[in-house]
Amino acid sequence: MSVNNVKSMTPKVELVRFPVHGDERGSLIALEGGQDVPFEIRRVYYIYGVSAALPRGFHAHRKLNQILICIHGKINVHCEYGEKEEEYILDSSDKGLLIGSLVWHSMTFIDEESVLLVIADGHYDEADYIRDYNIFKKEEGK
Ligand code: T46
């Protein structure tokens, strides 16, 4: 599915594809807030130099919506919400994983050279994190 069809953050987790501008010089992907990404972009961060033996994440966000893009390498993302438990492989720059609020997620860098780019609709706020799984289940049930 093309990300251009995504108008909102429902469902909570969704794998999307971005349009690639490619020619003999290579490829270019442009992501515009409110268009290619279904929210206004307030923060961009990236994660790299991660050992395959040390998965990251293991938290949910109370309000934050994000899109995860593996711009180099191969990363597994585990997501849990409601009764669902899903695994996604991010291995292409034109693939993005939308993760909405109240999704417990973790990332394993299968390829240790991987770079994970994350686009978010909010500034960094530690109060938005739920880092305890039992608290996540309680808040999710409310
Ligand atoms: C998420 C996944 C996909 C900041 O100071 N500013 C920031 O914008 C971020 C994202 C982090 N930090 C600090 C907070 C910690 O001291 O960087 C340190 C590492 O953060 P954390 O342990 O939360 O990293 P991950 O890889 O477990 O999770 C990150 C994001 O924090 C999180 O929102 O959804 O990537």
Side-chain angles (χ1 to χ4, degrees), residues 67-107:
I67 186 152
L68 278 57
I69 306 161
C70 176
I71 54 170
H72 178 74
K74 189 172 183 177
I75 298 169
N76 181 81
V77 184
H78 176 90
C79 294
E80 242 185 277
Y81 56 104
E83 299 299 307
K84 296 193 176 166
E85 209 166 321
E86 300 166 341
E87 303 284 338
Y88 293 91
I89 295 286
L90 302 183
D91 56 1
S92 167
S93 301
D94 67 345
K95 230 192 239 184
L97 186 65
L98 285 158
I99 300 185
S101 57
L102 291 179
V103 174
W104 188 263
H105 58 281
S106 60
M107 307 83 74

Side-chain angles (χ1 to χ4, degrees), residues 43 45 47 56-57 59 61 64 66 68 105 107 116 118 124 126 129 131:
R43 179 166 51 115
Y45 60 92
I47 303 172
R56 303 179 63 110
H59 59 250
H61 285 283
L64 193 72
Q66 304 192 98
L68 278 57
H105 58 281
M107 307 83 74
L116 181 66
V118 184
Y124 175 69
E126 188 55 39
Y129 284 73
R131 294 191 185 268

Side-chain angles (χ1 to χ4, degrees), residues 35-68:
Q35 291 182 31
D36 310 282
V37 172
F39 49 71
E40 288 307 321
I41 298 167
R42 290 218 175 77
R43 179 166 51 115
V44 175
Y45 60 92
Y46 35 98
I47 303 172
Y48 57 95
V50 178
S51 162
L54 294 173
R56 303 179 63 110
F58 300 100
H59 59 250
H61 285 283
R62 294 193 162 92
K63 293 205 174 122
L64 193 72
N65 296 306
Q66 304 192 98
I67 186 152
L68 278 57

